[in-house]
Amino acid sequence: MPEKNARDHVRGRSTGDSDSVSLNPIFARPGEATDIPKRQVPQAESLPETAYQIVHDEAMLDGNSRLNLATFVGTWMDDHARRLYTESADKNMIDKDEYPQTAEIETRCWTMIANLWNAPDPERALGTSTIGSSEACMLGGLALKRRWQKRRRDAGQSTERPNLVLSSAVQVCWEKFCNYFEVEARYVPISEEHRTLDGHGLDRYVDENTIGVVAIMGVTYTGAYEPVAAIAQALDKIAADSGVDVPIHVDGASGAMIAPFCQPDLVWDFRIERVASISTSGHKYGLVYPGLGWVVWRDTSALPDELIFYVSYLGGNMPTFALNFSRPGAQVLLQYYLFLRLGFDGYRRVQQESLSVAQFLAHEVEKIPAFELWNDGSDIPVFAWRLAKGHTDKWTLYDLSDRLRMKGWLVPAYPMPDDLSDLTVQRVVVRNGFSHDLATALLADIKTEVDYLDRLDGPLPHEGQTTAFHH
């Protein structure tokens, strides 16, 4: 597209879009402007009721978040949580001197999480809340890089050309980490035979400059767990053969808040000695509104001292290790509320219900002749399917996604990563609040739209079609 139009598109503008908001006369009050610019601060004030109505009506054009089966991010909390959210919206998480109890609750939360992830000594672990699991991943990656640099300097070796080994199905935050912090990303391609990073062929990617390996508990593309124990065994063999000793960061954005409750016998966490740090999203299966993440390091040796800053701020001197500074404290309180409200048994029941709904849907989708399952939702409550080979040349999963969107459902279709980029899958994410009744309604709509597409006389046009979904 032309350069100007491309810039407008990036900013969310569409060419031909009006430059002002026109008020319905019903909402306008005497003396108020009836034409308000969209991209300039208005000259005059508006009444709060008027400003509210404008913003409310604009936001109403968004999709229904409860029917968004593309996102992992929580879209429902109970009334008490919403009340607590409102009461604490003004708390600044970084200001630990002014809000010492919120800071204490943050420490309680990550210590609880360290216990949940079987840290050898949770009292000697280190952790922090973050604005989301992407920031948590950045901090985990930075700690790996600094530990590697220190080890190399102490040995009188070069600290140039660090690399990080990851699956080709990794979430984009890791691509950002490698770009922003100048680390070479070494992607291990997934394939039909090796659908996750499973330790196979890892010795071809790991060398003396490898700062760590990322293992994903709940791959974004499909929801499948990467076998952390098998990856650790492969790294043990590499260490025995070559002396190259590489730690693991577990990206548990979703699975780190599922596995402890629903798959307690699965060994993936700090029970594996090679696991140095684990991150998760509080706002995914931690069940909190966005944005909240957590990262925990095994012990003090896993987090280099130079990453911890002591800051004098508003009358206090406090340690901080984060990429953000001022950020909301409300979500930390919401996480603590949920730990108290649900307890271990409550979390297990909530997560198990989501797994049950996902597996029910997966098994029903598998019965539809048009589809083949890629995975069945037995790890986290996420599953994906592809078109059965030879089923049709008249429509694609992108067409089905469009048809479902007409009924309010957001069920994304997208290509798999490199080495499987010619394979398109469709994915459903089941979250707290997505009931069996809603799942049955979705299933009925999928069947209806598949029947419609199968009755087409000829192929649908796809010129210029692209997916609006991005990982």
Side-chain angles (χ1 to χ4, degrees), residues 80-93 99 102 105 327-335 337:
H80 287 88
R82 288 198 290 270
R83 193 165 86 196
L84 186 62
Y85 199 2
T86 302
E87 292 170 356
S88 55
D90 59 344
K91 292 184 185 291
N92 184 357
M93 192 65 242
Y99 307 114
T102 298
I105 287 171
R327 58 185 173 85
Q331 283 86 343
V332 169
L333 299 183
L334 291 177
Q335 185 75 84
Y337 164 78

Side-chain angles (χ1 to χ4, degrees), residues 54-367:
I54 292 171
V55 178
H56 173 83
D57 288 355
E58 293 257 14
M60 188 173 63
L61 299 175
D62 286 336
N64 183 334
S65 62
R66 294 284 298 280
L67 302 183
N68 182 355
L69 303 180
T71 183
F72 288 76
V73 175
T75 54
W76 182 89
M77 293 193 80
D78 65 35
D79 289 340
H80 287 88
R82 288 198 290 270
R83 193 165 86 196
L84 186 62
Y85 199 2
T86 302
E87 292 170 356
S88 55
D90 59 344
K91 292 184 185 291
N92 184 357
M93 192 65 242
I94 200 66
D95 188 2
K96 293 176 169 57
D97 184 63
E98 186 69 20
Y99 307 114
Q101 201 57 33
T102 298
E104 163 62 19
I105 287 171
E106 177 193 28
T107 299
R108 290 181 200 174
C109 283
W110 66 251
T111 305
M112 288 178 176
I113 292 169
N115 268 287
L116 202 60
W117 294 340
N118 295 294
D121 182 358
E123 298 301 322
R124 291 188 66 249
L126 281 175
T128 185
S129 66
T130 61
I131 204 69
S133 64
S134 290
E135 183 191 359
C137 289
M138 301 277 176
L139 292 173
L142 272 173
L144 293 177
K145 182 179 179 182
R146 292 298 179 87
R147 286 177 65 197
W148 173 82
Q149 287 174 324
K150 183 180 186 306
R151 194 165 60 245
R152 298 281 290 179
R153 286 195 195 99
D154 289 348
Q157 297 169 326
S158 170
T159 58
E160 295 180 359
R161 304 180 63 82
N163 68 71
L164 182 68
V165 176
L166 343 88
S167 161
S168 63
V170 78
Q171 211 266 355
V172 70
C173 73
W174 287 106
E175 297 179 43
K176 290 182 177 181
F177 167 77
C178 291
N179 186 322
Y180 296 165
F181 297 104
E182 298 181 322
V183 174
E184 177 195 351
R186 292 188 174 177
Y187 296 111
V188 180
I190 63 170
S191 64
E192 291 277 2
E193 296 76 25
H194 301 279
R195 296 188 173 190
T196 62
L197 176 66
D198 56 11
H200 175 77
L202 204 55
D203 56 333
R204 298 199 299 269
Y205 297 87
V206 169
D207 60 24
E208 62 181 10
N209 291 329
T210 301
I211 66 172
V213 172
V214 175
I216 311 171
M217 286 293 286
V219 174
T220 307
Y221 284 84
T222 61
Y225 289 155
E226 293 185 337
V228 185
I231 294 168
Q233 287 176 359
L235 291 172
D236 289 344
K237 186 174 187 310
I238 291 170
D241 293 344
S242 68
V244 174
D245 196 16
V246 177
I248 293 172
H249 175 86
V250 177
D251 179 351
S254 298
M257 294 302 288
I258 296 287
F261 304 108
C262 299
Q263 299 113 356
D265 296 330
L266 180 65
V267 178
W268 63 275
D269 51 19
F270 289 120
R271 287 170 287 183
I272 299 171
E273 191 172 346
R274 200 167 285 281
V275 172
S277 51
I278 304 173
S279 56
T280 196
S281 280
H283 62 229
K284 291 180 182 173
Y285 289 100
L287 308 181
V288 175
Y289 283 141
L292 178 66
W294 299 97
V295 58
V296 175
W297 288 268
R298 166 183 290 276
D299 51 38
T300 54
S301 68
L303 179 64
D305 289 339
E306 62 264 30
L307 290 181
I308 303 174
F309 289 82
Y310 291 87
V311 181
S312 178
Y313 185 63
L314 297 180
N317 189 44
M318 58 185 188
T320 174
F321 41 108
L323 300 180
N324 290 286
F325 200 67
S326 293
R327 58 185 173 85
Q331 283 86 343
V332 169
L333 299 183
L334 291 177
Q335 185 75 84
Y336 190 55
Y337 164 78
L338 281 174
F339 285 161
L340 299 181
R341 164 74 179 83
L342 293 174
F344 188 94
D345 288 342
Y347 261 96
R348 180 184 52 78
R349 287 175 55 232
V350 169
Q351 314 297 40
Q352 192 58 58
E353 175 66 12
S354 293
L355 282 168
S356 174
V357 172
Q359 289 163 21
F360 158 75
L361 262 176
H363 293 148
E364 291 302 311
V365 165
E366 189 176 26
K367 295 176 185 176

Side-chain angles (χ1 to χ4, degrees), residues 19-21 31-47 54:
D19 287 330
S20 62
V21 177
E32 281 192 304
T34 57
D35 228 28
I36 297 176
K38 283 185 178 178
R39 296 176 182 89
Q40 298 177 29
V41 176
Q43 189 65 40
E45 300 176 44
S46 296
L47 289 171
I54 292 171

